[in-house]
Amino acid sequence: MVETHSALMDQIYRRQRFFYDATRKYYLFGRDYALRQIQAKAGAHILEIACGTGRNLDQIDMRYPDRHLYGLDISSEMLLSARRKLGDRAKLAQADACNFDPASLFGQAKFDHIVMSYCISMIPQWQSALKEAVSHLAPGGALHIVDFGDQSRMPPWFERGLRNWLARFHVTPRDDLKMILAGIEGHHISHVPLMRSYAAYACVKKRIIGPPS
């Protein structure tokens, strides 16, 4: 399954990676909104799951300099572009979002911030990917998610057209994201529709559990 999905992503992005950033800015809305929510402290460790071309990590580096950046992606093709863009500013590795060991990949087990930008709509086992991401948060850490919303406030014709178009690229909006996140216990959850629910931003903040009194 992992090898099949990796091969599919490589097939999709083998050529697209060369013009990905130039085209996606016209419909992957909300990415910069999500990055503004990070508010990373000095020395913070920030991981992007499904980092793609490295566009978001590049923006994070400009917005929050002197942080420790990491990125993983299942597509070796996308990582070629990410390495070219980021150089030694981030540690990058090929891995499956649903099952990865950051200590082995990066020498870092927990992260202050984890970003998942427009990837859960492309990950078949996306709920497993969410649980995997949360498991790698440091105490007080936050998982920042931005992706397509449920389009509930968009005209029906727009929603039908968008979903049919996205399906051509193996993209499926996760309409039940808010409900799935609500089932994650022991964390603070927030969910914000963006642009009349075209997109959505969600944050899972890991609570700090103090010693027994």
Side-chain angles (χ1 to χ4, degrees), residues 63-83:
R63 187 179 293 273
Y64 309 108
D66 302 320
R67 275 62 172 182
H68 306 281
L69 305 183
Y70 311 84
L72 65 85
D73 203 286
I74 200 169
S75 169
S76 60
E77 292 290 334
M78 282 300 225
L79 287 171
L80 290 174
S81 292
R83 290 190 175 99

Side-chain angles (χ1 to χ4, degrees), residues 22-163:
T23 57
R24 266 53 177 187
K25 65 182 180 181
Y26 295 109
Y27 62 90
L28 297 188
F29 302 126
R31 292 182 295 175
D32 291 334
Y33 175 91
L35 300 187
R36 289 195 297 270
Q37 310 313 307
I38 293 177
Q39 299 296 314
K41 295 181 180 179
H45 294 269
I46 305 172
L47 167 68
E48 181 173 17
I49 295 174
C51 64
T53 63
R55 181 265 183 194
N56 291 332
L57 287 173
D58 182 48
Q59 293 292 314
I60 290 171
D61 185 47
M62 289 189 287
R63 187 179 293 273
Y64 309 108
D66 302 320
R67 275 62 172 182
H68 306 281
L69 305 183
Y70 311 84
L72 65 85
D73 203 286
I74 200 169
S75 169
S76 60
E77 292 290 334
M78 282 300 225
L79 287 171
L80 290 174
S81 292
R83 290 190 175 99
R84 185 174 295 113
K85 184 189 303 290
L86 296 167
D88 60 0
R89 290 182 292 150
K91 293 182 179 180
L92 304 176
Q94 185 176 12
D96 176 17
C98 298
N99 184 20
F100 63 94
D101 179 7
S104 297
L105 294 172
F106 307 117
Q108 178 67 30
K110 300 292 182 179
F111 302 91
D112 303 294
H113 298 274
I114 297 178
V115 178
M116 299 181 77
S117 171
Y118 281 93
C119 65
I120 63 169
S121 54
M122 295 194 73
I123 299 174
Q125 305 298 323
W126 65 278
Q127 295 183 30
S128 296
L130 289 179
K131 293 178 181 177
E132 184 74 7
V134 170
S135 73
H136 299 304
L137 286 174
L143 168 62
H144 306 269
I145 305 162
V146 63
D147 215 300
F148 292 103
D150 61 11
Q151 290 92 53
S152 59
R153 297 176 60 193
M154 303 297 287
W157 61 265
F158 180 90
E159 179 184 357
R160 288 193 300 270
L162 177 64
R163 289 174 184 266

